[in-house]
Amino acid sequence: MTAEPTSRETPTPPPPATPGEVRRALLAEEVGQFDREWRAAMARAAEDLDLTDVYRVLERWRAIAAMTRHDAVAHRRMLDRADRVLAGAERGTVTADDQRAMIARRLGQQ
């Protein structure tokens, strides 16, 4: 007997592992921010001889890339809504803690 997904389940691809895979999985509007954060972390690592921040940046963007791969339309809707809330055009109704918890649940971290 094999473990086959039911008709309601959609297999989720594994999260991207390398910086290049992460970058390719992102929405076009997020690539520039990833590039800036990645290059800054790499520059600090070269100066400090410490990769901690490089790993932190990679893990954060891996999670974003995984969400995007899982449902790019929902991720784009979330970004669009965040832009509207930040611009004052719409009032946010979910706390940051609630949002983090929802993201963690969707990533299977809770």
Side-chain angles (χ1 to χ4, degrees), residues 5-85:
T6 65
S7 61
R8 293 183 310 231
E9 296 175 352
T10 303
T12 303
T18 68
E21 289 172 338
V22 167
R23 189 177 193 276
R24 286 187 294 277
L26 297 173
L27 296 176
E29 58 263 38
E30 294 178 310
V31 170
Q33 184 179 352
F34 169 78
D35 288 348
R36 286 187 298 279
E37 289 184 28
W38 180 253
R39 288 184 177 114
M42 292 295 287
R44 286 189 300 274
E47 185 66 30
D48 300 340
L49 302 177
D50 182 356
L51 293 172
T52 303
D53 198 36
V54 171
Y55 292 127
R56 188 176 301 121
V57 168
L58 183 58
E59 283 306 305
R60 184 173 92 76
W61 282 99
R62 281 183 77 214
I64 293 168
M67 283 188 292
T68 303
R69 274 188 176 175
H70 178 73
D71 190 342
V73 172
H75 185 66
R76 178 165 275 124
R77 271 195 319 264
M78 182 273 303
L79 290 176
D80 291 342
R81 181 155 191 260
D83 286 342
R84 290 190 307 274
V85 169

Side-chain angles (χ1 to χ4, degrees), residues 67 70 94 97-110:
M67 283 188 292
H70 178 73
V94 178
D97 289 337
D98 291 340
Q99 188 68 33
R100 280 190 285 276
M102 181 186 70
I103 290 168
R105 279 193 307 276
R106 287 184 179 175
L107 293 174
Q109 297 173 348
Q110 275 187 347

